[in-house]
Amino acid sequence: MAELETPRNEAKIIALSSPKEGAGKTTLTLNLALGWAGIQKRPVLIVPLDPLARQEHSFYLDIKKPVSVADILRTLGNTNIAVVGGLLRGKISMSQWGVGVLPLGNTRAQVASISPKILIPILSRLSQTFDIFLDVDSSFPMQAFAFDIADKVFWVSNATRTHLNSTVQLFNDYKEQRYPMERVSVICNQYDMPGSIAYEEVEKFYNSLGRDIDVFLPWDESIMATSNRKEVEIINNPQSEWIKGLRLILAKIRDLTPAPKDWTASVSDEEFTQAAKEIWNPIFAGGGADGAAQENHVIVEEEGEAGKTKLSFWDDLKQKVHKDVVRTLEIERIVISDESSASAQTRKRVAAIVDDILQKQPNLQFSREQRTRFASELLDEILGLGPLENLMRDPSVTEIMVNAFDKIFIEQKGKLTLTKYKFRNNEQVVQVIKRIVSPLGRRIDESVPLVDARLKDGSRVNAIISPLAVSGPTLTIRRFSQKPFGPADYFRFGTISPECMEFLEKCVRIRKNIIVCGGTGTGKTTFLNALSGYISDNERIITVEDTAELRLQQPHWVSLESRPPNVEGKGAITIQDLVKNCLRMRPDRIVVGECRGGEALDMLQAMNTGHEGSLTTIHANTPRDGLSRLEAMCMQTGADLPIFAIREMISSAVNMIVQLSRFSDGSRKVTYITEMHGQKDGQIQSTDLFRYVQTGVDENGKVQGMFAPTGNLPTFYSDFQAKGVPVPEEVFTKGAIKLDEEGNPILSSLSVPPAPPTL
């Protein structure tokens, strides 16, 4: 963030706001301003931040037509606001008591066009002459703007339930947005008015919010009478009990030390970048009365190839504050561990340290948005995964790919996108990788430059560093939904039709062995998890995975995960080892997350020896490719088996192959449901039962098509009836498509309308 010099001759800026109308805030503002003007030398200015354009202050100060902010802007015309200093001389409407008033406008339409960005140069220049009292309506964003620039905020509340309830909501909102709540003091006005809540209860309420009540002002009937006579209480009735309480507030204002004003806190990044160069910089950089800047202290990088404006010392400041935070944590003996980093209490304490350090930075001007973003990014670096934290919080992001420190891609809704997020350098990427793998007892360095790991939320992580990764450290995070997808989700996504899913459900229930095939990122494991949901709760299920991803809901489920070798290259437990072991654990069903090697043979043997209904996945682009890959994996075991024996084993063990594919629009669909049934002439015989037929692409690039049966009945069709889960024959025949000699669908044979567009 750019550094802006603080204006000279700092004023005292006092804001009065309230949770609701009717608290007496405007009466308090008027009386305090007049009282303050009588006990010090600087002139006083009341600025009512009122969207309703009421003229109450000018009415009681007897100012007929006060000059407004809208009038000033109209006078300026096309003149840059930076020269506002000279034009404001003699323009402010003053009363006989040395108190002026500057309303935003004379009509609501005029007021609606006034924003904090417009007020900044005007109020910053006026603060060199006036002490300013802000009468702040409870609406956002003016209330937020006043909270940022005020040295003291007096929160004016009545002792009523509606005021207290509104206060809770507003205070919580401002705390979450890191507003300087320590500047807020509470005034309980008319605390003993008939029907009010007892003052002890009101005091207890504000104490629970971490605030003391500075002053209890009594209910005084004379105030209304004075008001109706167009008189002000502090002038016409200075010895009233209400005014005596008011003097306690004036004493607090007197003892207040003005602080550098956070003028730019309530504007957006875009407004700050533009206005810092065009409007505010001459004022903050110590320009003369005509607004001419002597030196430009705003350091801004112009738009580059990325088309984004960036303030040059953002990263440098972050590193500096990071070191200060670490030093403070060491002094306080706070140890950030993997367990503590997720603790809300730890995050709250570190956030408080960051805010405190930022407050101490000399002449640091941040917009509220920038301050929040800076603190959030720093917290993510200290306690989390740095720039990846925002992506990890987004449930729609299914894959995060760090190709280089400044190139982070994501997969979202099936599409790959380059994000705006970046690491500072390669060292930061390596530190994040180490933060991921260290709690798991893994290490990554030049001797072990490749690692697989799993985050607490189940996300799968793969990392490669130098010397294997020539272009720099690379990180890939495969994320999974916290709530497993069910059939309704797949129907909504257009992944499969209800008829096909019902058929697969009944295949699982009658204990058919199923292999889910697909390429990388087609959703094989997720779909396998959905199929496993159809297994009965009274069956013992053992899952075997390289990295635990399956989330079964059944009570009788045991999850096994392989283990890589240690640094010495020993201690590895492979999936093949686990498959062999789980046969001794009396499973009813075995579910292997993915077959990649020799474990395929053990899985086939299990399917053939009383463990029907087992499930697994393999990488393949078609069902026929899946069978070929299965043969190749069986040969990797080193077992001296002829190919015909392997094929005999596959044909007798595997009943179904479900093929998943990813399409050009990012959608994933079940494209084949294929049955395996025996051998003929040394070849495994297979028959497609259902196919997904693409009919085209709509104007939005969405794939159009339909799921349709091929007209073939499964050879085990009678098993459905025999085991009490009958399937109507028309499921396989109604609307069946015709295939040509090469097995491709004939589109003219389609007799049912295409499925609706996928989401």
mmCIF file of all heavy atoms in Angstrom, residues 25 29 109 114 119 162 181 194 231 256 284 316 321 362 415 425 445-446 480 566 586 643 649 651 667 686 720 749:
data_model
loop_
_atom_site.group_PDB
_atom_site.id
_atom_site.type_symbol
_atom_site.label_atom_id
_atom_site.label_comp_id
_atom_site.label_asym_id
_atom_site.label_seq_id
_atom_site.Cartn_x
_atom_site.Cartn_y
_atom_site.Cartn_z
ATOM 1 N N LYS A 25 -29.511 11.918 19.257
ATOM 2 C CA LYS A 25 -28.162 12.112 18.728
ATOM 3 C C LYS A 25 -27.959 13.521 18.173
ATOM 4 O O LYS A 25 -26.931 14.166 18.427
ATOM 5 C CB LYS A 25 -27.912 11.054 17.643
ATOM 6 C CG LYS A 25 -26.738 11.308 16.732
ATOM 7 C CD LYS A 25 -26.631 10.219 15.699
ATOM 8 C CE LYS A 25 -27.876 10.086 14.859
ATOM 9 N NZ LYS A 25 -28.112 11.241 13.988
ATOM 10 N N THR A 29 -25.332 16.330 19.417
ATOM 11 C CA THR A 29 -24.308 16.882 18.527
ATOM 12 C C THR A 29 -24.314 18.403 18.576
ATOM 13 O O THR A 29 -23.252 19.043 18.710
ATOM 14 C CB THR A 29 -24.551 16.411 17.081
ATOM 15 O OG1 THR A 29 -24.572 14.980 17.032
ATOM 16 C CG2 THR A 29 -23.463 16.921 16.153
ATOM 17 N N ALA A 109 -31.939 13.926 -3.353
ATOM 18 C CA ALA A 109 -31.257 13.580 -4.600
ATOM 19 C C ALA A 109 -29.815 14.054 -4.573
ATOM 20 O O ALA A 109 -28.899 13.352 -5.023
ATOM 21 C CB ALA A 109 -32.001 14.191 -5.791
ATOM 22 N N ILE A 114 -23.496 11.982 -2.975
ATOM 23 C CA ILE A 114 -22.292 12.254 -2.181
ATOM 24 C C ILE A 114 -21.794 10.950 -1.561
ATOM 25 O O ILE A 114 -22.539 10.266 -0.857
ATOM 26 C CB ILE A 114 -22.571 13.288 -1.071
ATOM 27 C CG1 ILE A 114 -23.239 14.534 -1.649
ATOM 28 C CG2 ILE A 114 -21.271 13.650 -0.359
ATOM 29 C CD1 ILE A 114 -22.423 15.270 -2.676
ATOM 30 N N LEU A 119 -16.138 13.176 -0.094
ATOM 31 C CA LEU A 119 -15.954 13.926 1.155
ATOM 32 C C LEU A 119 -14.501 13.977 1.617
ATOM 33 O O LEU A 119 -14.102 14.919 2.303
ATOM 34 C CB LEU A 119 -16.801 13.290 2.263
ATOM 35 C CG LEU A 119 -18.311 13.542 2.197
ATOM 36 C CD1 LEU A 119 -19.011 12.743 3.277
ATOM 37 C CD2 LEU A 119 -18.621 15.017 2.341
ATOM 38 N N THR A 162 -35.281 -2.233 21.766
ATOM 39 C CA THR A 162 -34.982 -2.128 20.334
ATOM 40 C C THR A 162 -33.600 -1.529 20.106
ATOM 41 O O THR A 162 -32.863 -1.954 19.215
ATOM 42 C CB THR A 162 -36.042 -1.274 19.623
ATOM 43 O OG1 THR A 162 -36.143 0.005 20.267
ATOM 44 C CG2 THR A 162 -37.396 -1.957 19.658
ATOM 45 N N MET A 181 -12.966 -0.453 17.145
ATOM 46 C CA MET A 181 -14.027 -0.334 18.144
ATOM 47 C C MET A 181 -13.533 0.270 19.457
ATOM 48 O O MET A 181 -14.342 0.698 20.287
ATOM 49 C CB MET A 181 -14.647 -1.711 18.400
ATOM 50 C CG MET A 181 -15.326 -2.333 17.189
ATOM 51 S SD MET A 181 -16.658 -1.298 16.522
ATOM 52 C CE MET A 181 -17.876 -1.421 17.816
ATOM 53 N N PRO A 194 -39.638 7.325 31.603
ATOM 54 C CA PRO A 194 -40.642 6.326 31.989
ATOM 55 C C PRO A 194 -40.720 5.183 30.972
ATOM 56 O O PRO A 194 -40.768 5.411 29.768
ATOM 57 C CB PRO A 194 -41.944 7.141 32.021
ATOM 58 C CG PRO A 194 -41.498 8.536 32.328
ATOM 59 C CD PRO A 194 -40.177 8.700 31.640
ATOM 60 N N GLU A 231 -34.706 26.984 20.587
ATOM 61 C CA GLU A 231 -33.601 27.333 21.475
ATOM 62 C C GLU A 231 -32.729 26.100 21.701
ATOM 63 O O GLU A 231 -33.154 24.973 21.475
ATOM 64 C CB GLU A 231 -34.137 27.846 22.820
ATOM 65 C CG GLU A 231 -34.920 29.149 22.699
ATOM 66 C CD GLU A 231 -35.572 29.556 24.013
ATOM 67 O OE1 GLU A 231 -35.576 28.714 24.945
ATOM 68 O OE2 GLU A 231 -36.089 30.678 24.098
ATOM 69 N N LEU A 256 -8.762 14.255 24.781
ATOM 70 C CA LEU A 256 -8.513 13.380 23.637
ATOM 71 C C LEU A 256 -7.320 13.879 22.828
ATOM 72 O O LEU A 256 -7.212 15.064 22.526
ATOM 73 C CB LEU A 256 -9.768 13.337 22.748
ATOM 74 C CG LEU A 256 -9.783 12.374 21.573
ATOM 75 C CD1 LEU A 256 -9.753 10.932 22.055
ATOM 76 C CD2 LEU A 256 -11.041 12.623 20.728
ATOM 77 N N PHE A 284 -2.626 15.004 0.913
ATOM 78 C CA PHE A 284 -1.865 14.292 1.931
ATOM 79 C C PHE A 284 -0.361 14.510 1.796
ATOM 80 O O PHE A 284 0.387 14.292 2.719
ATOM 81 C CB PHE A 284 -2.182 12.800 1.859
ATOM 82 C CG PHE A 284 -3.572 12.485 2.270
ATOM 83 C CD1 PHE A 284 -4.507 12.074 1.343
ATOM 84 C CD2 PHE A 284 -3.967 12.615 3.592
ATOM 85 C CE1 PHE A 284 -5.796 11.790 1.728
ATOM 86 C CE2 PHE A 284 -5.252 12.333 3.981
ATOM 87 C CZ PHE A 284 -6.172 11.922 3.044
ATOM 88 N N ASP A 316 6.365 -6.281 0.234
ATOM 89 C CA ASP A 316 7.439 -5.928 1.166
ATOM 90 C C ASP A 316 6.886 -5.666 2.565
ATOM 91 O O ASP A 316 7.456 -6.101 3.569
ATOM 92 C CB ASP A 316 8.186 -4.679 0.670
ATOM 93 C CG ASP A 316 8.969 -4.955 -0.601
ATOM 94 O OD1 ASP A 316 9.274 -6.142 -0.852
ATOM 95 O OD2 ASP A 316 9.249 -4.003 -1.343
ATOM 96 N N VAL A 321 5.711 -7.155 8.264
ATOM 97 C CA VAL A 321 4.732 -7.397 9.326
ATOM 98 C C VAL A 321 4.781 -8.858 9.757
ATOM 99 O O VAL A 321 4.630 -9.175 10.944
ATOM 100 C CB VAL A 321 3.317 -6.996 8.863
ATOM 101 C CG1 VAL A 321 2.277 -7.348 9.923
ATOM 102 C CG2 VAL A 321 3.256 -5.499 8.558
ATOM 103 N N PRO A 362 3.906 3.871 10.559
ATOM 104 C CA PRO A 362 3.808 5.320 10.398
ATOM 105 C C PRO A 362 3.195 5.713 9.057
ATOM 106 O O PRO A 362 3.591 5.213 8.008
ATOM 107 C CB PRO A 362 5.277 5.777 10.481
ATOM 108 C CG PRO A 362 6.067 4.580 10.068
ATOM 109 C CD PRO A 362 5.300 3.394 10.545
ATOM 110 N N LYS A 415 -13.954 -27.003 -15.805
ATOM 111 C CA LYS A 415 -13.152 -26.132 -16.655
ATOM 112 C C LYS A 415 -11.874 -25.716 -15.931
ATOM 113 O O LYS A 415 -11.893 -25.415 -14.733
ATOM 114 C CB LYS A 415 -13.945 -24.878 -17.037
ATOM 115 C CG LYS A 415 -15.164 -25.149 -17.922
ATOM 116 C CD LYS A 415 -14.737 -25.452 -19.347
ATOM 117 C CE LYS A 415 -15.946 -25.498 -20.277
ATOM 118 N NZ LYS A 415 -15.551 -25.731 -21.673
ATOM 119 N N ASN A 425 7.296 -16.235 -4.330
ATOM 120 C CA ASN A 425 8.445 -16.841 -4.989
ATOM 121 C C ASN A 425 8.389 -18.356 -4.785
ATOM 122 O O ASN A 425 7.475 -18.884 -4.137
ATOM 123 C CB ASN A 425 9.760 -16.270 -4.431
ATOM 124 C CG ASN A 425 9.761 -16.235 -2.901
ATOM 125 O OD1 ASN A 425 9.311 -17.185 -2.240
ATOM 126 N ND2 ASN A 425 10.240 -15.142 -2.333
ATOM 127 N N ASP A 445 12.516 -32.741 0.257
ATOM 128 C CA ASP A 445 13.754 -31.988 0.060
ATOM 129 C C ASP A 445 14.447 -32.591 -1.163
ATOM 130 O O ASP A 445 13.840 -33.380 -1.910
ATOM 131 C CB ASP A 445 14.645 -32.036 1.304
ATOM 132 C CG ASP A 445 14.853 -33.449 1.828
ATOM 133 O OD1 ASP A 445 14.927 -34.383 0.989
ATOM 134 O OD2 ASP A 445 14.929 -33.627 3.055
ATOM 135 N N GLU A 446 15.702 -32.236 -1.371
ATOM 136 C CA GLU A 446 16.398 -32.718 -2.559
ATOM 137 C C GLU A 446 16.554 -34.238 -2.558
ATOM 138 O O GLU A 446 16.568 -34.878 -3.608
ATOM 139 C CB GLU A 446 17.774 -32.055 -2.671
ATOM 140 C CG GLU A 446 17.693 -30.592 -3.073
ATOM 141 C CD GLU A 446 19.063 -30.019 -3.387
ATOM 142 O OE1 GLU A 446 20.053 -30.787 -3.321
ATOM 143 O OE2 GLU A 446 19.139 -28.821 -3.694
ATOM 144 N N PHE A 480 -12.383 -32.887 -2.636
ATOM 145 C CA PHE A 480 -13.594 -33.688 -2.676
ATOM 146 C C PHE A 480 -14.695 -32.994 -1.893
ATOM 147 O O PHE A 480 -14.428 -32.288 -0.913
ATOM 148 C CB PHE A 480 -13.342 -35.087 -2.102
ATOM 149 C CG PHE A 480 -12.242 -35.819 -2.809
ATOM 150 C CD1 PHE A 480 -10.944 -35.800 -2.313
ATOM 151 C CD2 PHE A 480 -12.487 -36.493 -3.987
ATOM 152 C CE1 PHE A 480 -9.923 -36.452 -2.965
ATOM 153 C CE2 PHE A 480 -11.467 -37.144 -4.651
ATOM 154 C CZ PHE A 480 -10.179 -37.126 -4.146
ATOM 155 N N ASN A 566 9.949 -45.128 3.787
ATOM 156 C CA ASN A 566 10.556 -44.040 4.549
ATOM 157 C C ASN A 566 11.795 -43.519 3.831
ATOM 158 O O ASN A 566 12.092 -43.922 2.701
ATOM 159 C CB ASN A 566 10.878 -44.489 5.976
ATOM 160 C CG ASN A 566 11.820 -45.685 5.986
ATOM 161 O OD1 ASN A 566 12.553 -45.939 5.028
ATOM 162 N ND2 ASN A 566 11.804 -46.427 7.082
ATOM 163 N N ARG A 586 -12.133 -61.149 7.057
ATOM 164 C CA ARG A 586 -13.512 -61.583 6.908
ATOM 165 C C ARG A 586 -14.425 -60.494 6.297
ATOM 166 O O ARG A 586 -15.453 -60.103 6.839
ATOM 167 C CB ARG A 586 -14.060 -62.023 8.277
ATOM 168 C CG ARG A 586 -15.297 -62.915 8.183
ATOM 169 C CD ARG A 586 -16.516 -62.126 8.585
ATOM 170 N NE ARG A 586 -17.761 -62.801 8.340
ATOM 171 C CZ ARG A 586 -18.753 -62.243 7.684
ATOM 172 N NH1 ARG A 586 -18.629 -61.032 7.168
ATOM 173 N NH2 ARG A 586 -19.894 -62.889 7.506
ATOM 174 N N ILE A 643 -1.957 -65.858 -21.021
ATOM 175 C CA ILE A 643 -2.948 -64.811 -21.235
ATOM 176 C C ILE A 643 -4.365 -65.359 -21.207
ATOM 177 O O ILE A 643 -5.288 -64.705 -20.714
ATOM 178 C CB ILE A 643 -2.666 -64.076 -22.571
ATOM 179 C CG1 ILE A 643 -3.607 -62.877 -22.700
ATOM 180 C CG2 ILE A 643 -2.816 -65.021 -23.753
ATOM 181 C CD1 ILE A 643 -3.384 -61.806 -21.681
ATOM 182 N N MET A 649 -9.989 -65.624 -15.942
ATOM 183 C CA MET A 649 -10.212 -65.097 -14.599
ATOM 184 C C MET A 649 -11.001 -63.790 -14.656
ATOM 185 O O MET A 649 -11.920 -63.569 -13.861
ATOM 186 C CB MET A 649 -8.865 -64.874 -13.906
ATOM 187 C CG MET A 649 -8.962 -64.496 -12.433
ATOM 188 S SD MET A 649 -7.328 -64.294 -11.694
ATOM 189 C CE MET A 649 -6.663 -65.942 -11.884
ATOM 190 N N SER A 651 -13.042 -62.685 -17.093
ATOM 191 C CA SER A 651 -14.410 -62.875 -17.588
ATOM 192 C C SER A 651 -15.313 -63.499 -16.540
ATOM 193 O O SER A 651 -16.519 -63.233 -16.503
ATOM 194 C CB SER A 651 -14.402 -63.737 -18.858
ATOM 195 O OG SER A 651 -13.887 -65.030 -18.565
ATOM 196 N N SER A 667 -18.599 -31.208 -18.387
ATOM 197 C CA SER A 667 -19.516 -32.145 -17.730
ATOM 198 C C SER A 667 -18.951 -33.562 -17.786
ATOM 199 O O SER A 667 -18.178 -33.924 -18.681
ATOM 200 C CB SER A 667 -20.891 -32.110 -18.405
ATOM 201 O OG SER A 667 -20.796 -32.521 -19.760
ATOM 202 N N SER A 686 -18.127 -59.027 -24.411
ATOM 203 C CA SER A 686 -18.790 -57.933 -23.696
ATOM 204 C C SER A 686 -19.963 -57.422 -24.518
ATOM 205 O O SER A 686 -19.959 -57.513 -25.752
ATOM 206 C CB SER A 686 -17.807 -56.789 -23.428
ATOM 207 O OG SER A 686 -17.349 -56.226 -24.642
ATOM 208 N N PHE A 720 -32.065 -61.070 -11.002
ATOM 209 C CA PHE A 720 -32.828 -60.007 -10.336
ATOM 210 C C PHE A 720 -34.099 -60.571 -9.712
ATOM 211 O O PHE A 720 -34.421 -60.287 -8.556
ATOM 212 C CB PHE A 720 -33.178 -58.897 -11.333
ATOM 213 C CG PHE A 720 -31.996 -58.108 -11.822
ATOM 214 C CD1 PHE A 720 -31.580 -58.199 -13.136
ATOM 215 C CD2 PHE A 720 -31.299 -57.271 -10.965
ATOM 216 C CE1 PHE A 720 -30.499 -57.474 -13.592
ATOM 217 C CE2 PHE A 720 -30.212 -56.543 -11.409
ATOM 218 C CZ PHE A 720 -29.794 -56.648 -12.725
ATOM 219 N N SER A 749 -32.035 -43.505 -35.182
ATOM 220 C CA SER A 749 -32.822 -44.515 -34.458
ATOM 221 C C SER A 749 -33.326 -44.008 -33.118
ATOM 222 O O SER A 749 -34.073 -44.704 -32.433
ATOM 223 C CB SER A 749 -31.977 -45.779 -34.241
ATOM 224 O OG SER A 749 -30.916 -45.518 -33.319
#
